Amino acid sequence: MTPFEKVYKLVSFVPKGKVITYKKVAEIAGIKDVRVIGFALNKNKNPKKIPCHRVVKSDGTFATGYAFGGKRAQKQKLINEGVKFLNPETVDLKRSLFKVPFNLEIYLRVIFLR
DNA sequence: AATTTGACAGCGA
DNA sequence: GTCGCTGCCAAAT
């Protein structure tokens, strides 16, 4: 399984109303350079299956190159899903960060081995 | 096969 | 809190 596939697979599990950070994705996918995450999403932009608007930076702010209308559109999507904000630029990670369930993490680690 | 190019994170000043 | 530098992965050319 290629790093890109891992990213798509993992991100597709983030539920509506929650967000995940690049750092977390990289950690679970076993990718050392977080930039690869964005690189992957940028290439294969498929909003049908990949909720890339739910991926934010570790400090809760948005990445700079969202491919579907920029930060404004991304923020709006999150608001529509019920994600809470600390301020116009920052997501409330305390309340809206997606915690990967233990069983799901195990499952992902297993399929990522291949 | 070598070079370029990013949707980042962490740290020191 | 901000600014700049560094680390170093994968895909496309």
Side-chain angles (χ1 to χ4, degrees):
Chain A
M1 182 168 245
T2 69
F4 273 34
E5 295 175 315
K6 294 179 182 177
V7 173
Y8 304 140
K9 194 74 173 182
L10 176 51
V11 175
S12 68
F13 279 105
V14 181
K16 184 173 56 176
K18 293 292 183 181
V19 299
I20 192 169
T21 64
Y22 287 92
K23 184 180 180 182
K24 205 65 179 170
V25 175
E27 180 185 319
I28 298 175
I31 298 172
K32 297 168 188 173
D33 189 346
V34 295
R35 287 180 290 185
V36 174
I37 311 303
F39 195 17
L41 297 177
N42 184 43
K43 276 297 182 184
N44 205 353
K45 36 197 171 188
N46 184 337
K48 299 286 189 197
K49 297 195 168 195
I50 309 167
C52 46
H53 56 283
R54 296 182 192 141
V55 185
V56 299
K57 300 204 286 189
S58 343
D59 60 2
T61 59
F62 298 104
T64 60
Y66 184 59
F68 295 96
K71 295 190 297 185
R72 309 173 308 292
Q74 181 176 9
K75 176 186 172 186
Q76 194 56 55
K77 281 176 176 289
L78 294 178
I79 290 177
N80 293 335
E81 298 184 346
V83 174
K84 301 302 178 184
F85 285 73
L86 293 178
N87 65 58
E89 285 290 311
T90 315
V91 170
D92 186 350
L93 294 178
K94 293 251 184 177
R95 289 163 41 94
S96 301
L97 176 63
F98 174 55
K99 305 292 290 184
V100 181
F102 182 69
N103 53 311
L104 174 58
E105 182 168 343
I106 297 303
Y107 164 68
L108 292 173
R109 287 189 184 287
V110 171
I111 64 176
F112 285 172
L113 289 179
R114 309 186 301 183

